[in-house]
Amino acid sequence: MTASIKDVARAAGVSPATVSRALGKGPVSEALRAQVMEAVRVTGYRPNLAARRLRSQESGTIGLILADIGNPFFTGVARAVEAAAYEAGLRVLLCNTDEDPEREASYLALMQEERVTGLILAPTRATADRLAEAPPAMPVVLIDRPGPAGLFDSVLLDNAAASAALVDHLVAQGYRRIAGLFGQTSGTGVERAEGYRATMARHGLAPSWRFVPPQAEAAEAGFAALSREGQPEAVLASNSLLLMGTLQAVRAKGLRIPADLALAGFDNEPWTGLVEPGVTVIEQPLAEIGRQAMALLFERLRAPDAPVRKVMLSGRAILRGSTAPRRVLASML
Amino acid sequence: MTASIKDVARAAGVSPATVSRALGKGPVSEALRAQVMEAVRVTGYRPNLAARRLRSQESGTIGLILADIGNPFFTGVARAVEAAAYEAGLRVLLCNTDEDPEREASYLALMQEERVTGLILAPTRATADRLAEAPPAMPVVLIDRPGPAGLFDSVLLDNAAASAALVDHLVAQGYRRIAGLFGQTSGTGVERAEGYRATMARHGLAPSWRFVPPQAEAAEAGFAALSREGQPEAVLASNSLLLMGTLQAVRAKGLRIPADLALAGFDNEPWTGLVEPGVTVIEQPLAEIGRQAMALLFERLRAPDAPVRKVMLSGRAILRGSTAPRRVLASML
DNA sequence: ATGGCGACTGGGAACGATTTCATTCAACCC
DNA sequence: GGGTTGAATGAAATCGTTCCCAGTCGCCAT
């Protein structure tokens, strides 16, 4: 229906090859170039990307598969990735799996069919495993979540250290019965849980934890379950959704923070600073994660056989009122 | 590099046409179909979408251009759109403009070049105007923001009514000096401002308002400016970012809500219920907006010449503590 | 037996761009 | 002036599919 390069060629009185060169970078005389531009204007020509990709055998697109487009962590990363891609003249094909391994698999297939140049991926644990058996045909960079060891470039947070920092902080503030809620679909949840467990052990404290689906409602239920095992003095939540769910549960039960329960978690979302008291969190360097992922991808495209790299970034603890020093007397009244 | 349909054909001992039919819906004997499937497995064949699209002249993709991927309003809509598209066997090409008309134009061009089947768009005011002059080649459905009257199908909130409801509520609660902060990039901001202005006039109250860029920092500055014109008793913010910025400013100044300042706005984001007191908001039917947009798009594809339709949805007021009745005595102490 | 029909299959022409290769033509050097 | 160079242009092949068209084959009715 719409004009093709032949229509433009006819309108300009030149061959299709010349039109292609005039629009691309080939050598074309100024006169003809002007004629072509005019013909493009007249015909309303827009290049057909499908045809271009088919012929040139490159998509000019990188794929980005995220677990949850509603999670500000991922949207932050997506922004950075898109900015870097835009700068490099690449498009981003963004897909959202909602933590569903089936959709993840379907999007992985899609990425192959689109012949994307590279792929940035935050895999669920299920997919991380499968990735080793059937590696995609294009370069892959994993973000946020670990994959099969040593197979893919990756950008990760030092989750164990971050968890340890939170536990250390809580202990220093006088809390002992520290419970943990961790996301069960991601390797990240596992790492954070492990950091929590190890640090609790180091302090000689007994851990009390649960893996739950990464949804606020699940966190509410998880918190209720933890409470039944013995009321904790503090709760550590491994992502912002779980943190929010916990806070909702706390509000519903009418508990005071931090007098009845201290709270700490991950991701410095705006609301964590708006509630009162503010919630202590580990802030992740979202933009840096996105930038590094793109950088790794470009490196890999340039040198396909270079050794696999793993970029480990550190979170920054933002201490707020939710983890104020424990006042034993007040809580005993 | 990767296997093509010819490779599969060779491996299966049939013609490419037969492979195509075996994978599609054409009539193929069971025996050959099995052979083909086996050959697909062996060769690791994945269809090339660029080639398929070129030949079949349809992209199987709908475009979705949003102003701000970080805004939960848009991610909510995007989810619903994607779900509906998935059900219809279509892909979604999601693009984020960050309210930048230039990027909007560039993505509009991209959508043409991708030959998307249809387009769902939340235009800035600048783009809404340009849309009339150079209408895209494919069906367009506008969401959230009005465009050139009568040209495109659209799904909109009854913004004037929503603003009116908030103002009426504030007045009923005893507030008089009600200020407004509205987003300047969207037609939605204009409509909400107009609803605010009209309703204030109906109550015989003097409006005090500002249009600001849709960012939290801009809202802080805008609030400061409004305060200089005379301390308001209540503030109405036309979207969640402005609402958040206003709340940040309020916290920074140490004002109490609602004693020193009542607060109301748009979008029922989780944090509006988590802060204390909770913030009164208009909840928008995100999923319904997405569903309706897809429904309009499908209708349009089926009947390209049907009259233009405009679906007007209503918001739901969620009343919380931030607009509790004004206690004159308390505030005078 | 013949014709017709239906189901299946292969050949080959598209789809719209890019790119190789050959051709033209003007300018230039000795 | 003839041969050489180089830039500009066009013809045609090509990318991987789909799909129209024609052909084959078995089967059934006449």
Side-chain angles (χ1 to χ4, degrees):
Chain A
M1 219 51 47
T2 60
S4 83
I5 203 170
K6 280 184 198 165
D7 301 316
V8 178
R10 203 173 312 128
V14 300
S15 75
T18 301
V19 175
S20 175
R21 279 188 283 251
L23 295 172
K25 54 189 168 116
V28 179
S29 70
E30 264 321 303
L32 277 200
R33 182 183 301 274
Q35 275 182 51
V36 168
M37 290 314 180
E38 173 62 11
V40 165
R41 210 184 52 71
V42 169
T43 55
Y45 168 73
R46 287 269 122 208
N48 183 320
L49 284 185
R52 175 176 295 176
R53 289 204 265 256
L54 174 59
R55 166 65 224 209
S56 63
Q57 295 290 78
E58 47 184 338
S59 62
T61 300
I62 70 154
L64 179 58
I65 302 184
L66 300 179
D68 181 2
I69 190 68
N71 184 333
F73 169 77
F74 288 116
T75 53
V77 172
R79 271 219 162 80
V81 167
E82 208 205 356
Y86 190 84
E87 198 141 323
L90 293 170
R91 278 203 31 236
V92 173
L93 181 54
L94 172 61
C95 295
N96 172 46
T97 67
D98 275 333
E99 305 272 4
D100 176 357
E102 202 168 320
R103 288 180 63 183
E104 233 170 353
S106 129
Y107 279 133
L108 273 171
L110 175 69
M111 293 299 171
Q112 308 254 15
E113 299 181 0
E114 292 276 7
R115 306 290 194 267
V116 296
T117 306
L119 183 55
I120 299 178
L121 173 64
T124 60
R125 282 159 65 192
T127 297
D129 295 342
R130 255 196 307 242
L131 226 41
E133 303 157 20
M138 72 287 290
V140 173
V141 174
L142 301 181
I143 57 173
D144 180 53
R145 305 170 176 198
L151 267 186
F152 301 102
D153 294 320
S154 52
V155 182
L156 301 172
L157 192 78
D158 190 342
N159 287 307
S163 279
L166 287 181
V167 172
D168 283 342
H169 170 64
L170 284 168
V171 169
Q173 299 289 73
Y175 299 93
R176 292 293 175 271
R177 304 174 56 86
I178 305 169
L181 283 173
F182 302 93
Q184 70 184 177
T185 53
S186 68
T188 297
V190 175
E191 290 186 353
R192 291 177 187 171
E194 175 52 24
Y196 158 81
R197 196 203 52 71
T199 312
M200 289 295 280
R202 182 154 51 73
H203 287 288
L205 299 173
S208 163
W209 53 353
R210 267 200 152 57
F211 283 99
V212 297
Q215 291 133 21
E217 302 73 36
E220 292 191 56
F223 175 68
L226 284 176
S227 300
R228 258 178 267 119
E229 293 174 5
Q231 189 67 38
E233 298 163 3
V235 168
L236 190 163
S238 83
N239 67 49
S240 61
L241 283 176
L242 299 185
L243 192 55
M244 181 177 284
T246 306
L247 182 53
Q248 276 162 348
V250 164
R251 288 280 154 80
K253 290 180 83 169
L255 298 176
R256 293 161 303 164
I257 297 178
D260 298 324
L261 188 82
L263 201 54
F266 283 79
D267 293 330
N268 182 29
E269 290 187 32
W271 67 262
T272 59
L274 280 177
V275 298
E276 288 197 321
V279 182
T280 291
V281 291
I282 299 286
E283 179 183 51
Q284 301 196 61
L286 306 189
E288 185 62 15
I289 292 174
R291 264 197 305 273
Q292 287 285 347
M294 284 298 283
L296 283 185
L297 193 52
F298 287 140
E299 276 306 310
R300 177 62 53 197
L301 288 168
R302 197 175 321 155
D305 297 321
V308 169
R309 272 167 317 171
K310 181 161 155 180
V311 172
M312 183 82 83
L313 301 174
S314 297
R316 189 168 65 95
I318 299 185
L319 307 180
R320 298 201 178 101
S322 72
T323 55
R326 180 153 195 246
R327 293 162 62 184
V328 180
L329 284 178
S331 83
M332 288 176 71
L333 291 179
Chain B
M1 220 49 48
T2 60
S4 84
I5 204 170
K6 281 186 196 163
D7 302 315
V8 178
R10 202 173 311 126
V14 299
S15 76
T18 300
V19 175
S20 176
R21 278 187 288 253
L23 296 171
K25 56 188 167 120
V28 179
S29 69
E30 266 320 303
L32 277 199
R33 182 183 302 273
Q35 274 182 51
V36 169
M37 290 312 180
E38 172 62 12
V40 165
R41 210 184 52 71
V42 169
T43 55
Y45 168 75
R46 286 271 122 208
N48 181 319
L49 284 185
R52 173 175 294 177
R53 288 204 265 257
L54 174 59
R55 167 64 225 205
S56 63
Q57 296 290 81
E58 47 185 339
S59 61
T61 300
I62 70 155
L64 179 58
I65 301 184
L66 300 178
D68 181 2
I69 190 69
N71 184 334
F73 169 77
F74 288 116
T75 52
V77 172
R79 272 217 161 83
V81 166
E82 207 205 356
Y86 191 82
E87 197 141 325
L90 294 170
R91 280 203 29 238
V92 174
L93 180 54
L94 173 61
C95 295
N96 171 45
T97 68
D98 275 333
E99 305 273 5
D100 176 357
E102 202 166 318
R103 287 180 64 182
E104 233 171 352
S106 128
Y107 279 133
L108 273 171
L110 175 69
M111 293 300 171
Q112 308 254 14
E113 299 181 0
E114 292 276 7
R115 304 292 195 266
V116 297
T117 307
L119 184 56
I120 298 178
L121 174 64
T124 60
R125 283 160 67 191
T127 297
D129 295 342
R130 256 195 307 240
L131 227 42
E133 302 156 19
M138 72 287 291
V140 173
V141 174
L142 302 180
I143 58 173
D144 180 53
R145 305 170 174 197
L151 268 186
F152 301 102
D153 294 320
S154 52
V155 183
L156 302 172
L157 192 78
D158 190 343
N159 287 308
S163 278
L166 288 181
V167 171
D168 284 342
H169 170 65
L170 284 167
V171 170
Q173 299 288 73
Y175 299 93
R176 293 291 174 272
R177 304 174 56 87
I178 305 170
L181 283 173
F182 302 94
Q184 69 184 178
T185 53
S186 69
T188 297
V190 175
E191 291 187 352
R192 291 178 187 172
E194 176 52 24
Y196 157 81
R197 197 201 52 71
T199 312
M200 289 295 279
R202 181 154 53 73
H203 287 290
L205 298 173
S208 162
W209 54 352
R210 267 201 152 58
F211 282 99
V212 297
Q215 290 134 22
E217 304 72 35
E220 292 191 56
F223 175 68
L226 285 176
S227 299
R228 259 178 267 118
E229 293 173 5
Q231 190 67 39
E233 298 164 4
V235 167
L236 189 162
S238 83
N239 68 49
S240 62
L241 283 175
L242 300 185
L243 192 56
M244 180 176 285
T246 306
L247 183 53
Q248 277 162 348
V250 165
R251 287 281 154 80
K253 290 179 83 171
L255 298 177
R256 292 161 304 163
I257 296 178
D260 298 324
L261 188 81
L263 201 53
F266 283 78
D267 293 331
N268 182 30
E269 290 186 33
W271 67 261
T272 59
L274 281 177
V275 298
E276 290 198 321
V279 182
T280 291
V281 292
I282 298 287
E283 179 184 50
Q284 301 195 61
L286 306 189
E288 185 61 16
I289 292 174
R291 266 196 305 273
Q292 286 284 346
M294 284 298 282
L296 283 185
L297 193 53
F298 287 140
E299 277 305 309
R300 177 62 53 199
L301 288 167
R302 197 175 320 155
D305 297 321
V308 169
R309 272 166 316 172
K310 181 161 156 181
V311 172
M312 183 82 82
L313 300 174
S314 298
R316 190 168 66 95
I318 298 184
L319 307 180
R320 297 200 178 101
S322 72
T323 56
R326 181 156 194 244
R327 293 164 60 183
V328 179
L329 284 177
S331 83
M332 287 176 73
L333 292 177

